[in-house]
Amino acid sequence: MRYNTKILNYFFLANERRMLLHYYDFITCHYRYPKGKRTLICNGYYDQLGVRYEYEIQYDGTIPSVYITNPVIPYSFDCHMFSDGKLCLYYSPEEPWGYDKHLYSHIVPWVHEWILYYEMYKLSGKWEHPAVHPGS
């Protein structure tokens, strides 16, 4: 039996969107079609110690990409982010992204945790969370 991957992608992303909107009132979602591929774009925020962090999740059904959109955070290898600004939220060789993980249950909590560790980094100059550096 052959499945239409565009239809499967549509329902998969629609379910991710539905779950995000169900669990979080600070998330908005819409679709974009870069290069003809349906991509779920979600914008959220997190207030930490009087600083409002805004972020964007881009997800086409493969590996999610997350960027802090406000305030602007300058790239730093020590902050567990990639040179393009994408956050390093997990070590994929040990915990590959798959259909058993979801944006609402994994990515959003990981983004908020990253922000907490970033705030601690600003105070101490050291990334306190045990982690593997991207690219190492």
Side-chain angles (χ1 to χ4, degrees):
M1 180 187 290
R2 256 188 112 111
Y3 296 101
N4 184 322
T5 56
K6 284 187 176 185
I7 292 173
L8 288 177
N9 180 264
Y10 172 82
F11 285 112
F12 178 74
L13 292 179
N15 185 61
E16 288 289 327
R17 179 182 181 277
R18 183 181 63 79
M19 297 304 283
L20 283 165
L21 297 177
H22 173 77
Y23 284 101
Y24 302 114
D25 63 355
F26 54 84
I27 297 274
T28 60
C29 298
H30 63 280
Y31 296 102
R32 282 191 206 143
Y33 296 86
K35 299 179 184 175
K37 189 165 188 176
R38 184 183 182 90
T39 302
L40 181 63
I41 306 296
C42 301
N43 298 96
Y45 66 89
Y46 182 67
D47 290 317
Q48 179 58 35
L49 301 172
V51 178
R52 181 182 172 111
Y53 285 86
E54 297 174 8
Y55 56 88
E56 179 176 279
I57 302 168
Q58 301 173 5
Y59 190 45
D60 64 7
T62 56
I63 297 172
S65 297
V66 181
Y67 302 89
I68 301 293
T69 57
N70 193 39
V72 173
I73 297 177
Y75 168 71
S76 171
F77 182 75
D78 295 333
C79 291
H80 293 274
M81 57 194 311
F82 295 93
S83 59
D84 66 355
K86 183 169 80 170
L87 302 185
C88 180
L89 298 175
Y90 64 99
Y91 185 54
S92 58
E94 287 182 10
E95 191 173 352
W97 188 261
Y99 291 111
D100 60 331
K101 294 177 179 63
H102 300 280
L103 300 178
Y104 78 93
S105 62
H106 289 77
I107 293 298
V108 171
W110 289 347
V111 171
H112 293 200
E113 181 179 46
W114 188 97
I115 292 168
L116 289 172
Y117 280 99
Y118 179 70
E119 284 291 321
M120 289 190 290
Y121 169 81
K122 290 186 340 185
L123 295 172
S124 71
K126 180 180 177 224
W127 193 261
E128 301 291 341
H129 190 279
V132 175
H133 278 286
S136 64

